[in-house]
Amino acid sequence: MSHVANVMLSVEPADRPLAEELSRWLESDAPLRGRDGRTGWVGALRETTGADTRWGGGKFPECDVYAGALNHADLAALVARVEQLPWQQPAFVQLMVMDQEEAYFRVWMFHGPRLRLLTPAGREQEYWPGTGPADVHLRLALATDAGLLRDLLTAGAAPDTPDTPEDNSDGADSRQVARRADGWPRPGDFGLVALSTTEESGWQPVPIGAAWFRHTGEQSGGRPGGGGNDGEQVGSTAELTVVLVPAHRGRGVGAQLLGPLLRAARAEGVGRLTARVPSTAPAGTRAWLRRHGGFRDLPDGAGQLGLDLS
């Protein structure tokens, strides 16, 4: 099975040699996606704008464009490689990538010495490419993920603490599942899903965990509150849930999920996040939330931790 990414690179004519150097790297030394640091052939970029190529009814192109369909390429490594090359005209370099799991191109351009993801606009750009294991990427939790969230909770998944036991078959009780996942998504709900793509899965993305927050209808001071205009939840309290399947605990996926989720909560105007830690939770859950999220014990809530975001 293959894992294909469509890639286009637009450069000024003076940077043609570097575009060709990038293609040679893809043909020989590029990191392979999900292959634990192995390198090799993932494809090539071929020029689409040769001397005899005309665009737009007989007009010659004003840039050089290279394109290719890459196979098993580590896309984060590709972005890093483009950033490292000594382009003569970096302001005109555009890298466009359509991953197999997506239906649109993402576009990077240089801002100073760094490549910056420009499109798609909005919060999605915070979550891809990921900063965790090479086989894992994140996407937004959609309305169609309601069943997935319930399944993860029912299976008893937990954050990837180092001392989380491999078997936590008790799972969440029906009340916890209903409170956290029923009716997903309600207004103000926000979540991320982690997917792993490996040779074992036939290079198909498999959900391995999720993190989300859901508003409790209280203000951050603990009083009931109805939010702002148009359902806005500024200053409200939201409950955090982080779940992972047992086989992927201890790999840093939980922290990979939690970081952008906290940024999204701040951007949404959440005043406080709470996390319920029942007595049946793995021993390391509290320490994990303190270490990775800055959560603290709440004196007025049995088994709860809180994080003030305002």
Side-chain angles (χ1 to χ4, degrees), residues 55-265:
W55 288 358
K59 298 296 182 182
F60 288 106
E62 296 184 347
C63 59
D64 287 317
V65 178
Y66 292 77
L70 304 185
N71 187 26
H72 298 314
D74 183 330
L75 299 178
L78 170 63
V79 173
R81 183 71 176 187
V82 172
E83 185 177 81
Q84 294 163 2
L85 289 170
W87 304 98
Q88 293 189 42
Q89 299 287 341
F92 298 101
V93 173
Q94 297 181 64
L95 176 65
M96 293 155 274
V97 179
M98 180 191 290
D99 196 8
Q100 178 169 296
E101 295 125 10
E102 299 167 339
Y104 48 83
F105 277 96
R106 297 180 180 266
V107 181
W108 284 262
M109 291 184 68
F110 277 98
H111 280 232
R114 302 299 304 273
L115 274 180
R116 179 180 173 186
L117 180 62
L118 297 181
T119 59
R123 57 194 179 191
E124 268 191 293
Q125 64 187 12
E126 299 180 28
Y127 314 128
W128 188 98
T131 57
D135 64 294
V136 177
H137 75 277
L138 310 182
R139 64 164 173 78
L140 294 175
L142 308 175
T144 52
D145 291 317
L148 169 64
L149 302 186
R150 290 185 61 89
D151 290 345
L152 287 169
L153 287 167
T154 303
D160 54 347
T161 57
D163 50 356
T164 297
E166 286 300 311
D167 182 14
N168 183 30
S169 56
D170 291 341
D173 64 36
S174 59
R175 291 171 298 175
Q176 291 178 345
V177 172
R179 186 183 71 252
R180 299 181 188 217
D182 276 8
W184 177 270
R186 295 172 182 164
D189 289 355
F190 179 87
L192 299 170
V193 175
L195 302 105
S196 174
T197 307
T198 63
E199 188 170 11
E200 289 73 18
S201 69
W203 302 111
Q204 297 301 309
V206 176
I208 61 170
W212 66 94
F213 61 77
R214 162 165 279 185
H215 289 279
T216 63
E218 296 180 352
Q219 295 177 343
S220 57
R223 301 182 306 275
N229 296 329
D230 299 324
E232 188 178 354
Q233 299 285 342
V234 175
S236 62
T237 296
E239 184 177 12
L240 169 73
T241 302
V242 183
V243 289
L244 287 173
V245 300
H248 290 272
R249 296 174 192 161
R251 304 182 62 210
V253 180
Q256 184 182 2
L257 283 161
L258 186 59
L261 195 77
L262 294 182
R263 293 197 297 272

Side-chain angles (χ1 to χ4, degrees), residues 27-45:
E27 293 181 90
S28 59
D29 299 316
L32 300 171
R33 180 170 183 167
R35 300 293 183 90
D36 297 324
R38 288 174 52 195
T39 61
W41 177 93
V42 298
L45 299 180

Side-chain angles (χ1 to χ4, degrees), residues 240 258 275 277 284-295 305:
L240 169 73
L258 186 59
V277 184
T285 301
R286 286 181 179 275
W288 185 88
L289 286 167
R290 294 191 188 102
R291 182 170 63 253
H292 290 283
F295 283 80
L305 291 89

Side-chain angles (χ1 to χ4, degrees), residues 263-282:
R263 293 197 297 272
R266 289 187 174 93
E268 295 289 328
V270 176
R272 171 184 280 182
L273 276 178
T274 63
R276 294 178 182 268
V277 184
S279 59
T280 56

